[in-house]
Amino acid sequence: MEHIRFYPQGDQAITVSFGDEINQELHEEIISLTKLLDLEPFPGMIEAVPSFTAVTIYYSPFDVKRKYLNLSIYEDVVMQIKQKLQSKKVSRNDPPTIITIPVCYGGEYGPDLTEVARYHKLSESDVIRLHSNHEYVVYMVGFTPGFPYLGGMSERLATPRKQTPRVAIPAGSVGIGGRQTGIYPLESPGGCQIIGRTPLQLFNYNKNEPTLLKAGDIVRFKPITAEQYDEWDGE
């Protein structure tokens, strides 16, 4: 636990930092703690939110059941989290959830596919192959509800963001921004190079679990035709 640091976020949250680099080993530690807190929250805990290198834990200071009366509420929460980190219940061996995302690449659904191919001196089919032949790790969800930050894209597809962002990108759009790829769950502004679109709904506030993807999941992209997209969209 020498690499782990604790930082207060006001009087109702604490950030547990696992380091400064984005890598798979730290990601597994972050997901492990998040899952354990979801399964066994301490009294007063509201939510655990994972990010690239940390977990921020929100709690109600009025509802925390203190175990160490000689400590402040914040220090008490730190001690309870440290106990969970030291627990044998923190396991990194749980298999991740694998989700296949159908994507219609190019055309009206991927208006920037041609530009991305031209930038890398590749054919459009090469871009599709490189993008869909990888497995991606969901490192965190944010920006807009359900937006997944994915790691694992081929370096050969790293493409600068647009100099002028679009005012509105359709929900389901799959884009490349720098060395990352992501999916827009909702219509929103954005500067990614849009190479395709999925008919799947990534965010639905009417469901008990409104987001399709969560941190720790594995994403695979599956190319589909425009006809398949239209049929899927109709369903």
Side-chain angles (χ1 to χ4, degrees), residues 6-218:
F6 298 83
Y7 304 98
Q9 302 292 344
D11 62 351
Q12 298 183 50
I14 178 174
T15 291
V16 184
S17 174
F18 287 79
D20 300 320
E21 296 182 3
I22 301 173
N23 60 58
Q24 185 65 27
E25 183 177 354
L26 290 188
H27 170 71
E28 290 177 358
E29 291 186 67
I30 290 166
I31 296 303
S32 177
L33 176 59
T34 302
K35 287 183 176 179
L36 180 58
L37 288 170
D38 286 343
L39 291 171
E40 300 180 5
F42 57 84
M45 184 185 126
I46 298 171
E47 184 181 17
V49 181
S51 64
F52 280 120
T53 60
V55 181
T56 296
I57 303 155
Y58 297 87
Y59 60 89
S60 168
F62 303 104
D63 298 321
V64 171
K65 186 177 180 180
R66 298 171 64 179
K67 292 185 176 181
Y68 306 92
L69 298 179
N70 60 319
L71 301 178
S72 67
I73 293 177
Y74 167 77
E75 292 170 330
D76 192 287
V77 170
V78 169
M79 291 300 296
Q80 293 193 51
I81 295 172
K82 284 184 176 180
Q83 289 179 348
K84 290 187 179 296
L85 285 167
Q86 294 168 343
S87 169
K88 293 182 180 180
K89 294 180 182 179
V90 177
S91 171
R92 283 180 267 165
N93 297 321
D94 295 334
T97 300
I98 300 175
I99 299 176
T100 299
I101 305 290
V103 178
C104 182
Y105 289 93
E108 65 174 301
Y109 299 125
D112 299 321
L113 177 62
T114 300
E115 179 60 29
V116 172
R118 185 184 299 117
Y119 180 85
H120 294 288
K121 297 180 172 60
L122 297 169
S123 68
E124 293 184 13
S125 60
D126 284 336
V127 173
I128 295 171
R129 176 180 54 80
L130 287 169
H131 190 264
S132 60
N133 277 1
H134 282 252
E135 287 191 342
Y136 299 86
V137 178
V138 181
Y139 275 100
M140 60 179 286
V141 175
F143 169 54
T144 60
F147 186 97
Y149 286 83
L150 305 176
M153 187 180 73
S154 170
E155 292 287 342
R156 296 176 63 187
L157 293 181
T159 310
R161 293 175 177 270
K162 287 189 167 297
Q163 292 185 349
T164 303
R166 289 183 171 94
V167 174
I169 293 176
S173 294
V174 178
I176 294 174
R179 299 167 62 185
Q180 287 190 306
T181 187
I183 312 168
Y184 289 80
L186 304 170
E187 181 180 298
S188 63
C192 285
Q193 305 284 352
I194 304 303
I195 61 172
R197 195 186 304 171
T198 177
L200 292 185
Q201 189 175 22
L202 270 70
F203 178 77
N204 185 340
Y205 65 85
N206 289 317
K207 292 185 176 180
N208 290 332
E209 293 189 10
T211 58
L212 176 65
L213 302 174
K214 60 182 182 300
D217 288 346
I218 299 295

